[in-house]
Amino acid sequence: MTGRNEGRTLRTVEDAQGEICYELVRKKVKNVNLRVRPDGSVTVSANPRVSLRFTDEFVRSKAGFIRAARQRYAERAEQRREYERRQQELREQRLAAGEPVQECTREEFLARMQELSRRWYPPFRELGVPWPQIRIRKMTSRWGSCHTARGIITYSTMLAERPEKAAEYVVVHEFAHFLVPNHSARFYETVASVMPDWRERKELLRQWGP
């Protein structure tokens, strides 16, 4: 034990691979609960009647889970740092090439994607596609997503720094999924019927891709 503060106790247990520090929080709960936070800290909630010996053994029994969770969080943090590093490189490359680099708030970006969506919606409206709800979200592995059953299109905030022609391709791509849910030949025929130069736009998107 290394510290105490209003029902909170810092404790340390050991196993064959080393030490694990955890914060024990006394609460009126039925079960002993363990949580690993993104910063790697471990919190255990337990009823005041549960002994310290039991909570220590509980944490020790979860050592593999705790270390695996810490590893996952560490990898995600490294991925975020790498993503931010690449984003900075892209900004510098675009500036060096004379490309415009847009800086905008979430509200401004949402308004921009709503406008692009309205611009490319008419041909899909004629094909029977209802106007969807437009959302934005931070996504690092995809440019957009389409929830056809709920009528929602979500765009990645990464598009805020991509050329408009590339963003327009994503708009048409997601609208086309209301008609064809997969990426079959029929899907790309639908995309081509609205945007004949979609291949060039897709390549432009890939050039600035994650």
Side-chain angles (χ1 to χ4, degrees):
M1 181 177 69
T2 59
R4 186 182 296 275
N5 180 25
E6 299 181 354
R8 295 175 178 267
T9 304
L10 295 179
R11 298 190 61 80
T12 301
V13 299
E14 295 184 16
D15 67 359
Q17 297 185 49
E19 295 183 343
I20 296 178
C21 297
Y22 74 96
E23 181 183 43
L24 174 61
V25 181
R26 294 298 190 177
K27 293 182 177 181
K28 292 182 179 181
V29 292
K30 293 182 178 180
N31 301 314
V32 178
N33 303 305
L34 183 147
R35 178 182 180 185
V36 182
R37 300 178 184 277
D39 63 1
S41 62
V42 179
T43 301
V44 174
S45 300
N47 192 283
R49 293 191 298 269
V50 177
S51 70
L52 294 177
R53 180 178 179 181
F54 184 92
T55 60
D56 285 352
E57 288 300 324
F58 178 76
V59 171
R60 190 175 288 111
S61 72
K62 299 292 185 180
F65 166 80
I66 292 169
R67 291 191 172 98
R70 285 174 168 173
Q71 179 65 27
R72 286 196 301 272
Y73 282 130
E75 291 173 351
R76 290 174 186 173
E78 179 59 31
Q79 289 172 355
R80 286 194 297 271
R81 287 191 292 270
E82 177 63 16
Y83 168 73
E84 291 169 358
R85 184 188 64 78
R86 286 187 293 160
Q87 290 295 96
Q88 183 59 34
E89 287 183 353
L90 286 174
R91 292 188 187 96
E92 293 174 356
Q93 291 173 11
R94 294 189 65 181
L95 287 170
E99 291 277 349
V101 177
Q102 285 192 305
E103 297 289 346
C104 60
T105 65
R106 286 183 62 86
E107 291 74 16
E108 290 170 340
F109 174 61
L110 176 59
R112 174 193 175 198
M113 296 311 299
Q114 289 173 332
E115 173 58 30
L116 291 183
S117 297
R118 283 191 290 269
R119 184 185 306 173
W120 289 92
Y121 174 60
F124 292 100
R125 179 179 56 209
E126 294 176 4
L127 294 171
V129 176
W131 174 253
Q133 181 180 356
I134 305 299
R135 297 180 178 179
I136 59 172
R137 183 166 64 87
K138 183 178 180 180
M139 296 186 282
T140 60
S141 61
R142 60 198 308 185
W143 298 110
S145 64
C146 176
H147 197 306
T148 57
R150 297 175 60 190
I152 299 172
I153 290 179
T154 304
Y155 298 114
S156 170
T157 52
M158 291 192 301
L159 288 172
E161 296 181 354
R162 298 317 187 261
E164 185 169 285
K165 286 187 176 181
E168 287 178 328
Y169 165 72
V170 177
V171 170
V172 172
H173 183 108
E174 299 306 332
F175 267 117
H177 275 311
F178 281 102
L179 300 169
V180 186
N182 50 48
H183 291 108
S184 62
R186 179 166 165 261
F187 170 80
Y188 285 106
E189 288 172 359
T190 302
V191 172
S193 69
V194 176
M195 182 178 282
D197 63 341
W198 68 270
R199 287 185 177 84
E200 291 78 5
R201 292 170 181 262
K202 184 177 181 180
E203 179 59 30
L204 180 61
L205 187 66
R206 184 180 291 112
Q207 290 174 7
W208 299 102

